[in-house]
Amino acid sequence: MSDIHSTGPFIAAIDQGTTSSRCIVFDKDGRIVSVEQKEHEQIFPKPGWVEHDANEIWANVQEVVAGAVEKAGITSADVKAIGITNQRETTLMWDKNTGEPVHNALVWQDTRTDALCRELGRNVGQDRFRRQTGLPLASYFAGPKVRWLLDNVEGLRKMEDPASAPSIRLSKGAHLVLKRTAPWKAALATPIDKYRITFALPWEDMLLLGTTDEEFEGDPADVRVTEADTAQILDEAAFSIRDQQLSRDLITYSFAGLRVLPGGPGDTSKAKRETVVTEGRGGMLSVAGGKWTTFRHIGRTVMKKLEQLPGHPLGNDFEPISELPGKMPLPGIANPRAVAHRLMVDGQASGASMASDTAKHLATHYGSLSFDIARLANEDAALAERIHPDAPEIWAQVAYARDHEWAETADDVLRRRTTLTIRGLATDEIRGKVDDLLAERN
């Protein structure tokens, strides 16, 4: 207790920090009367992951409050107010019925949601939602952490209603990419049965075939194209495509993905494709179905559901949907033919014109942002070189992906930002060079 004689009433300040919990008792003149502090464990499940045991923190807070009151020589009845400061963006979810946490708290320092933030940012980057939220996309904030918990903690919906059925199921779709044996400009869709079609689409200068549709119950990390998938796609494509275009020797790449469909009876081919919003017994809203290209519609559907909740708790705060922007311009939107023409006319610092296939590739993939890539190529002749002689991409695209599109690995570039992998041209030598260029990040 302080040597200065203190009289009440008293105020207690609880400082729940990243490494410890502390309670300070102040008298009516703002002088510190007593302090009690206790550290808690820092949990590091993986590199970059930081967690706290919420029950340990709660026990420590109770302990330091009791200790500070005892040191001050007062009782809890003498404390007339409590101020609390905490870790803010450290995120915790708990069972409302038991008060028990469903997972360790994800600390503000935790970076496990970096990949999710990059996925959400896509080409726009950290500012994608700044206009709506005032905040950048970053692993620091609570939103991505809550998404991680919902995606990775089993049974959250069961906590609300033990009788609830799964709101979603997964459907696997496999695709093949083949070299073309002849020019192909049309999109071809062939009905297979009442619910399914097979399609053949021109993609880059390749041919994209798909797709399968079957329920998937395994680990999403293990999804891949099987021999049975390949045989099915080729067999179904044979209904409308000549045999010489369906040779297995023409396959350069295959990939599989999962669709998140609403739960329900029957096989996945008959499942609803639109977004379904359900309300649980305790008020939890679950969203199933839909896809990234309809995210604005999904958001409006959820907002409308929230407005209709009993008492309209949020309705008065919503901006009417009719007043929201119906369309948002895409970054770099421009006429690709005009962009390609400008790229070839402007030429390069060496005086050579940009190859027509590279100009067309940049224009159709980046729009007016192509000029930023061309500028990199003009400033460094090495970046104007092709990554592989049989593909249109240039090394400036790797530098641009590194500096503006959050690319961190060779796959981020070769699979997600160029056509090298789908062409079967992502050799070990090229991967090594891409890694080297990524390592030069400023």
Side-chain angles (χ1 to χ4, degrees):
M1 184 174 180
S2 171
D3 293 335
I4 302 174
H5 180 67
S6 300
T7 58
F10 298 92
I11 295 176
I14 299 173
D15 174 15
Q16 201 302 292
T18 305
T19 58
S20 68
S21 300
R22 176 171 55 174
C23 181
I24 306 174
V25 175
F26 297 88
D27 66 12
K28 65 178 182 180
D29 297 316
R31 293 175 298 192
I32 294 178
V33 179
S34 64
V35 180
E36 186 78 1
Q37 184 173 359
K38 186 172 185 179
E39 294 184 351
H40 54 262
E41 181 185 5
Q42 305 297 306
I43 303 169
F44 305 103
K46 295 182 181 180
W49 292 28
V50 189
E51 299 179 357
H52 290 162
D53 182 338
N55 284 325
E56 179 190 9
I57 290 177
W58 173 229
N60 286 358
V61 169
Q62 295 179 83
E63 184 177 332
V64 298
V65 169
V69 168
E70 182 179 354
K71 281 185 178 180
I74 60 177
T75 69
S76 58
D78 298 315
V79 178
K80 302 305 181 184
I82 296 176
I84 300 175
T85 180
N86 57 30
Q87 299 181 51
R88 301 182 188 180
E89 297 300 335
T90 292
T91 303
L92 176 67
M93 296 179 70
W94 61 90
D95 186 330
K96 69 178 182 179
N97 296 314
T98 66
E100 289 297 313
V102 302
H103 191 276
N104 282 339
L106 306 187
V107 182
W108 59 270
Q109 303 159 309
D110 190 286
T111 60
R112 74 186 66 191
T113 59
D114 273 353
L116 171 61
C117 290
R118 288 196 298 273
E119 175 188 343
L120 292 173
R122 290 185 281 181
N123 291 337
V124 180
Q126 287 184 310
D127 291 331
R128 182 178 177 197
F129 300 111
R130 189 185 290 272
R131 190 172 72 86
Q132 294 93 335
T133 67
L135 298 172
L137 266 172
S139 60
Y140 171 78
F141 296 110
K145 293 184 175 69
V146 171
R147 164 72 181 273
W148 187 92
L149 289 167
L150 291 172
D151 287 347
N152 291 277
V153 178
E154 294 288 343
L156 285 184
R157 293 184 72 250
K158 289 287 185 181
M159 290 181 182
E160 183 200 35
D161 182 2
S164 64
S167 64
I168 64 170
R169 49 183 166 162
L170 299 178
S171 169
K172 172 185 166 184
H175 309 76
L176 303 179
V177 181
L178 296 84
K179 296 178 182 178
R180 295 207 302 245
T181 58
W184 189 299
K185 295 183 178 180
L188 178 64
T190 304
I192 298 300
D193 55 34
K194 181 178 178 181
Y195 301 100
R196 289 188 57 245
I197 64 169
T198 182
F199 60 77
L201 304 174
W203 189 31
E204 304 298 334
D205 53 358
M206 316 287 281
L207 184 65
L208 175 64
L209 299 181
T211 179
T212 60
D213 188 343
E214 60 182 11
E215 189 160 0
F216 186 83
E217 297 180 343
D219 185 340
D222 295 333
V223 65
R224 56 179 49 85
V225 178
T226 65
E227 169 57 31
D229 294 329
T230 299
Q232 178 183 340
I233 292 171
L234 293 177
D235 288 347
E236 291 178 347
F239 286 118
S240 51
I241 299 176
R242 294 176 179 175
D243 289 345
Q244 57 263 39
Q245 177 59 72
L246 300 179
S247 169
R248 286 176 177 259
D249 294 337
L250 298 175
I251 299 174
T252 61
Y253 188 60
S254 62
F255 61 95
L258 297 175
R259 307 177 192 88
V260 181
L261 301 177
D267 59 50
T268 55
S269 66
K270 302 174 183 178
K272 293 181 178 180
R273 260 48 181 177
E274 66 268 23
T275 302
V276 176
V277 180
T278 56
E279 181 182 349
R281 187 172 62 183
M284 177 187 286
L285 294 184
S286 297
V287 183
K291 49 187 176 181
W292 275 115
T293 50
T294 60
F295 72 92
R296 289 191 184 92
H297 171 71
I298 294 173
R300 291 190 180 106
T301 301
V302 174
M303 293 296 101
K304 187 174 182 179
K305 184 70 176 179
L306 289 173
E307 281 188 295
Q308 296 170 349
L309 292 177
H312 304 281
L314 300 176
N316 294 335
D317 297 327
F318 287 157
E319 186 174 353
I321 288 179
S322 60
E323 297 181 14
L324 295 176
K327 297 180 179 180
M328 295 287 286
L330 294 173
I333 188 168
N335 184 312
R337 292 185 179 180
V339 172
H341 176 74
R342 171 82 178 275
L343 289 171
M344 289 188 289
V345 169
D346 285 354
Q348 300 173 7
S350 62
S353 297
M354 180 178 287
S356 60
D357 61 337
T358 296
K360 180 180 178 182
H361 168 78
L362 294 178
T364 54
H365 286 74
Y366 298 89
S368 62
L369 298 179
S370 301
F371 302 123
D372 294 332
I373 296 173
R375 192 174 301 113
L376 293 174
N378 285 336
E379 293 170 355
D380 184 346
L383 296 181
E385 299 294 328
R386 290 178 185 259
I387 300 175
H388 190 285
D390 295 332
E393 286 86 356
I394 57 177
W395 286 103
Q397 291 174 249
V398 182
Y400 185 84
R402 175 196 65 197
D403 297 336
H404 300 281
E405 297 180 334
W406 300 5
E408 293 188 351
T409 68
D411 274 343
D412 286 340
V413 174
L414 298 172
R415 289 184 59 191
R416 303 179 181 96
R417 290 170 175 83
T418 71
T419 65
L420 275 299
T421 296
I422 66 167
R423 295 175 187 274
L425 303 177
T427 64
D428 290 341
E429 180 183 2
I430 286 177
R431 295 181 69 87
K433 290 180 178 179
V434 170
D435 282 332
D436 291 343
L437 192 52
L438 292 177
E440 296 176 14
R441 184 187 308 272
N442 294 331

